Amino acid sequence: MSDESLHDPAILSEGEHWRSRDLAVLWHPCTQMREHPDTLPLLTVARGDGAWLVGHDGRRTLDAVSSWWTNIHGHAEPRIAEAIARQARTLEHVILAGATHETAIELAERLLAIAPRQPGRDPLAKVFYADNGSAGVEVALKMAFQWYRNRGDEPRRTKFVALANGYHGETIGALSVGDIPLYRRVYAPLLMEAMFTPSPDAWNARPGQSDADCAEEAADALARLLDEHPGEVCALILEPRLQCAGGMRMHHPVYLKRARELCDVHGVFLIADEIATGFGRTGTMFAFEQAGVMPDLMCMSKGLTGGFLPLAAVLATQSIYDGFLDDSRDRAFLHSHSYTGNPLACAAALASLDIFESDDIIARNQVTAAKMAAAAAPLADLPHVAQVRQAGMVVAFELTRDGDRSTPFEASDQVGLRAYRTALDRGVLLRPLGDILYWMPPYCIDDNQLELLADTTRAAIGAATLKAV
Ligand SMILES: *Cc1c(COP(=O)(O)O)cnc(C)c1O
């Protein structure tokens, strides 16, 4: 749509037209629908173009959150679009029980080839597909539990350990190992009991304590918890390096090393939830690489298809897989989703992996991440910015009343909501997590877009904190 159309009243109202049709029939995710349309305008998107979302009026909005952390190479990336179209004309879907297809096989081979490794340890060797992140987490939890059940150990290992402030999705099992009250509280009576261990989150470091010492201290707490529950725990699940939904909180990779050692000592499986961190988001292909260790089970989704289609993959070691082999079907992993290993989604994922290679994405991201650091640095001096932190292609701004760690804003100040609205007015989709603003853009973000992002963030912080003090 051309820029002239901005002045055409018929087209200007097209966004309005879609907004009213939407509110008549749609129930949006993670949304208090009362807030639409008055408190929050609904962004109507006609098409995507790289890091831009383009409205019906031709207005461009920068997708600074990669559409819920899924998009990595930009919207409507032509190579991925073409791969999906080609696949759709060839084989759109086939049952994956008792049948197979090339894209599912090739994707499994390539995911295993790039998965984190650890010297002296058998690599991840098998891939189980699901169709979204939460479903992938359910798969990993059930596999860990059933592996021990299949072995016939008594008393059985039935418990999961998870990190404080972690997030693993919204289905009942995934929610049970999540620790974010906003999502969890209402459903608490439905959830299975998990054990939570302190997060290595460097934000919680005491004054003068290094990030590494903070992580070590959390690992010591994990050690105590596992000591207190010998033979009860089947798995530890965690988000490596970066607790995303928990506020883009980051930790030192030494925690992962320690967690690996402790899991080994206690016979506990280590589940890496790399649903948000995978595919280059924290600087390496997978966050676990930064610790030089590997998990026993690894969940991927979000960026897996470049942000085009829902797909999850759970990678498992050979010994976990072997624990399900038996003459009896009772010992098999009978979990399934209708769209397991969907060929269109697998084709998108393969095209995305091709782009990682052809465009040298991980190396290019190092340059982009350095530019993001430079663009973010001046904002650290703003009065209400308590911390600016970064892990690869994620930058977060923690806002507090006095710009220190001990004076959080009141929820009633609605700092995040006001920042969101201000940014949207200025053409940037920032969707804060509480009072934490963050940049998690598609990797194709260019210098001009980054400048817009930094200017807008500054304005959003200013507007959001103005009335709150
Ligand atoms: C988003 C997310 C999930 C859940 O994935 P969905 O596809 O939204 O179900 C699980 N774990 C982490 C770390 C996530 O960020």
Side-chain angles (χ1 to χ4, degrees), residues 69 132-135 137 167-169 239 244 273 275-276 301-302:
W69 323 337
N132 65 76
S134 304
V137 167
Y167 178 84
H168 301 288
E239 297 161 272
C244 290
D273 179 349
I275 289 165
S301 187
K302 293 204 165 111

Side-chain angles (χ1 to χ4, degrees), residues 72-73 79 279-280 283 285 352-368 393 443-444:
I72 52 181
H73 306 302
R79 291 167 285 183
F279 301 98
M285 196 61 172
S352 172
L353 291 179
D354 286 344
I355 293 172
F356 269 97
E357 285 176 16
S358 61
D359 295 9
D360 206 4
I361 296 293
I362 298 293
R364 224 183 51 189
N365 278 358
Q366 278 178 12
V367 179
T368 311
M393 295 297 288
Y443 303 160
C444 60

Side-chain angles (χ1 to χ4, degrees), residues 6-25:
L6 274 173
H7 309 291
D8 182 337
I11 293 173
L12 256 184
S13 65
E14 208 183 323
E16 257 344 294
H17 166 83
W18 287 112
R19 264 188 284 277
S20 64
R21 274 176 70 177
D22 172 289
L23 292 175
V25 295

Side-chain angles (χ1 to χ4, degrees), residues 147-176:
W147 189 89
Y148 276 107
R149 188 179 191 283
N150 284 352
R151 231 175 55 156
D153 289 10
E154 290 291 347
R156 285 191 183 137
R157 289 175 183 256
T158 56
K159 299 209 170 108
F160 296 101
V161 175
L163 299 196
N165 197 40
Y167 178 84
H168 301 288
E170 303 288 347
T171 53
I172 299 294
L175 205 54
S176 299

Side-chain angles (χ1 to χ4, degrees), residues 237-387:
I237 182 166
L238 52 76
E239 297 161 272
R241 278 290 279 126
L242 175 67
Q243 293 186 300
C244 290
M248 296 299 159
R249 294 289 180 78
M250 298 165 192
H251 58 255
H252 194 281
V254 73
Y255 184 80
L256 305 175
K257 238 177 122 102
R258 287 281 312 277
R260 174 72 275 175
E261 288 161 12
L262 290 166
C263 284
D264 286 342
V265 168
H266 291 272
V268 169
F269 288 126
L270 178 53
I271 304 175
D273 179 349
E274 292 241 17
I275 289 165
T277 53
F279 301 98
R281 190 49 83 174
T282 68
T284 44
M285 196 61 172
F286 297 102
F288 246 85
E289 290 167 38
Q290 295 171 37
V293 294
M294 60 171 274
D296 303 295
L297 289 158
M298 179 162 167
C299 305
M300 315 171 171
S301 187
K302 293 204 165 111
L304 172 57
T305 61
F308 270 67
L309 286 166
L311 178 69
V314 179
L315 277 53
T317 58
Q318 185 69 37
S319 75
I320 289 180
Y321 174 83
D322 288 343
F324 291 75
L325 298 179
D326 195 74
D327 293 334
S328 159
R329 282 204 163 176
D330 288 349
R331 294 233 164 108
F333 190 59
L334 295 181
H335 187 104
S336 63
H337 296 288
S338 313
Y339 282 98
T340 300
N342 175 253
L344 302 178
C346 290
L350 286 169
S352 172
L353 291 179
D354 286 344
I355 293 172
F356 269 97
E357 285 176 16
S358 61
D359 295 9
D360 206 4
I361 296 293
I362 298 293
R364 224 183 51 189
N365 278 358
Q366 278 178 12
V367 179
T368 311
K371 288 179 182 170
M372 284 167 66
L379 303 181
D381 299 331
L382 294 176
H384 302 286
V385 175
Q387 189 186 53

